[in-house]
Amino acid sequence: MPRTPIADVPDGAARKISGRIELEDAAIRSPLTGTECSVWAITVDEVGMGDSVLRGAKCQGVPFRVRDASGVARVIPDGARLGTTGKAFNYLPGA
């Protein structure tokens, strides 16, 4: 999906946007790293011989704004499909 300038996104529409995040309220903390963030997500995968099975997932977020050169969008993370360029950590028991 190509990126859409925020000014061209109809209210309530799902589009791919990018820009700078501005928190509306206090940040939350990631339960794994303790870092402040607007959204965190954790998935638990069971990895076997050549396959992987999702065993659990949890996420939490607070409303925030995304600003680009064309405007500002308010994002409510509940139920949103979000992709980030943030950090990812892998934990492999016994490794």
Side-chain angles (χ1 to χ4, degrees):
M1 178 186 296
R3 288 189 184 126
T4 304
I6 290 172
D8 296 341
V9 178
D11 190 31
R15 296 290 189 276
K16 182 177 182 178
I17 60 172
S18 72
R20 191 151 195 79
I21 289 178
E22 302 170 348
L23 291 174
E24 292 186 359
D25 293 314
I28 57 176
R29 291 203 175 269
S30 163
L32 292 180
T33 65
T35 56
E36 290 188 336
C37 56
S38 55
V39 177
W40 59 260
I42 297 171
T43 59
V44 177
D45 299 309
E46 182 180 331
V47 180
M49 299 295 289
D51 67 343
S52 176
V53 177
L54 178 66
R55 294 296 182 192
K58 185 159 176 105
C59 64
Q60 182 181 357
V62 293
F64 59 91
R65 294 180 298 276
V66 177
R67 182 180 302 275
D68 72 6
S70 72
V72 179
R74 184 169 190 253
V75 178
I76 302 170
D78 294 339
R81 205 171 92 199
L82 303 171
T84 70
T85 57
K87 297 178 182 177
F89 297 92
N90 292 316
Y91 172 69
L92 300 173

